[in-house]
Amino acid sequence: MPNTHHAAPYGGAAAPRKAVTLARIADMHARGEKIAMLTAYDATFAAAADSAGVDCLLVGDSLGMVCQGLASTVGVSLDAMRHHTESVARGLQRAQGAAWLITDLPFGTYHESREQALRSATALMQAGAQMVKLEGGGWTTDTVRFLTERGIPVCAHLGVTPQTVHALGGYRVQGRDEATAAQLCRDALALQDAGAAMLVLEMVPAALARAVTEELSRCATVGIGAGRGTSGQVLVLHDMLGIHLGRPARFVRDFMAGAASIPQALRAYVDAVKDGSFPDDSLHAW
Ligand code: KIV
């Protein structure tokens, strides 16, 4: 629910805005208005991002690396995702509560069966998520249909899928050749048919991400290292604030550079996504 009782706590007078809904996301995709998404893991940053005008917040399982110091997302538990979702949801309520809240289903919590996925998704929705995200192509379509038929909005995730980093052999660009690009397109359409309303495309060639976006009529795409042709962009919050435990990915821009404060950097990110100046071509040379 949008919270109209609290003034925006960060960055001063954020203009009141309507809560982002599934219908609004679909409309933005249809009209070509760019969707600005960021990850969030705690209440304070969630409130700051909401006040800055971020459309969607993702409680990403990247929290394994960012908050827990893990080497990958594989070790992240459902309990951890629930805990951070509750914190982010509370932070949103302290701000405008306009951003749409998505939470990752972590590794191993939707792989066994559709029923297991439903139990895991239910826990995250009850923690405050409005949509769950899961990784993978063809094998997930049954699960996506099962969840969406039961009223749980789903965001899919193709390209580099960090939960399968070991099987992929590292964070390597996906869909470079004709066969894998065609498979990715087929998977995207199947996920849309199964009811996915959003699709994260991670580290895929810009031309492929654009083509997939143009093919999808009911499913908005959000790119990360996928060029500027997607319906929106997402970055890991800490990356765009210029703080990393390791080397930043090539597609990351440090929005703190040139900003006087974190709220200003967050607003610069939203503005750059909305006006199409992020990402620029130098950030996705694949
Ligand atoms: O876990 C995460 O933060 C993500 C984004 C990078 C898309 O999945």
Side-chain angles (χ1 to χ4, degrees):
M1 286 289 284
N3 180 349
T4 51
H5 302 292
H6 296 282
Y10 299 97
R17 59 188 183 120
K18 282 198 182 145
V20 177
T21 59
L22 267 189
R24 175 107 179 272
I25 290 165
D27 182 56
M28 287 166 86
H29 170 60
R31 285 186 297 106
E33 179 188 339
K34 295 288 181 185
I35 299 165
M37 186 193 290
L38 276 180
T39 66
Y41 316 103
D42 67 33
T44 308
F45 273 108
D50 190 40
S51 300
V54 169
D55 297 303
C56 302
L57 286 180
L58 169 66
V59 183
D61 57 0
S62 51
L63 70 84
M65 284 96 109
V66 172
C67 304
Q68 301 176 326
L70 298 173
S72 78
T73 59
V74 172
V76 177
S77 69
L78 187 63
D79 261 357
M81 297 308 298
R82 188 164 47 194
H83 169 83
H84 286 273
T85 300
E86 284 170 352
S87 301
V88 168
R90 282 193 289 263
L92 281 176
Q93 286 306 305
R94 297 286 295 273
Q96 294 199 35
W100 176 252
L101 180 51
I102 307 163
T103 297
D104 267 331
L105 282 165
F107 182 67
T109 67
Y110 56 96
H111 300 62
E112 227 171 84
S113 64
R114 305 180 311 179
E115 289 73 17
Q116 183 208 24
L118 179 60
R119 278 193 300 278
S120 304
T122 300
L124 298 178
M125 300 295 282
Q126 289 178 338
Q130 292 167 303
M131 173 180 245
V132 295
K133 178 163 82 61
L134 50 77
E135 297 182 4
W139 71 273
T140 67
T141 50
D142 265 2
T143 302
V144 171
R145 182 168 291 106
F146 193 70
L147 295 180
T148 55
E149 281 175 355
R150 283 157 183 76
I152 297 177
V154 174
C155 175
H157 185 151
L158 294 174
V160 166
T161 44
Q163 292 173 7
T164 50
V165 62
H166 300 306
L168 292 176
Y171 299 95
R172 296 158 190 267
V173 179
Q174 300 294 305
R176 271 189 194 276
D177 59 68
E178 220 173 285
T180 55
Q183 183 60 51
L184 193 143
C185 280
R186 283 195 294 275
D187 283 345
L189 285 168
L191 288 161
Q192 172 179 263
D193 286 347
M198 296 185 88
L199 168 64
V200 167
L201 291 172
E202 180 161 355
M203 290 183 72
V204 302
L208 174 60
R210 184 180 291 278
V212 168
T213 303
E214 285 169 1
E215 276 291 307
L216 296 177
S217 53
R218 303 183 303 281
C219 180
T221 61
V222 181
I224 173 162
R228 57 171 81 187
T230 47
S231 326
Q233 298 290 330
V234 58
L235 281 179
V236 168
L237 174 72
H238 294 56
D239 285 348
M240 56 76 66
L241 294 177
I243 44 176
H244 325 269
L245 286 174
R247 210 155 41 95
R250 192 159 105 200
F251 51 78
V252 169
R253 184 189 294 174
D254 175 2
F255 284 86
M256 273 310 281
S261 64
I262 288 172
Q264 209 180 83
L266 293 170
R267 281 198 297 274
Y269 170 73
V270 172
D271 290 348
V273 171
K274 295 279 176 194
D275 70 18
S277 58
F278 175 77
D280 60 32
D281 290 334
S282 67
L283 294 172
H284 59 85
W286 47 64

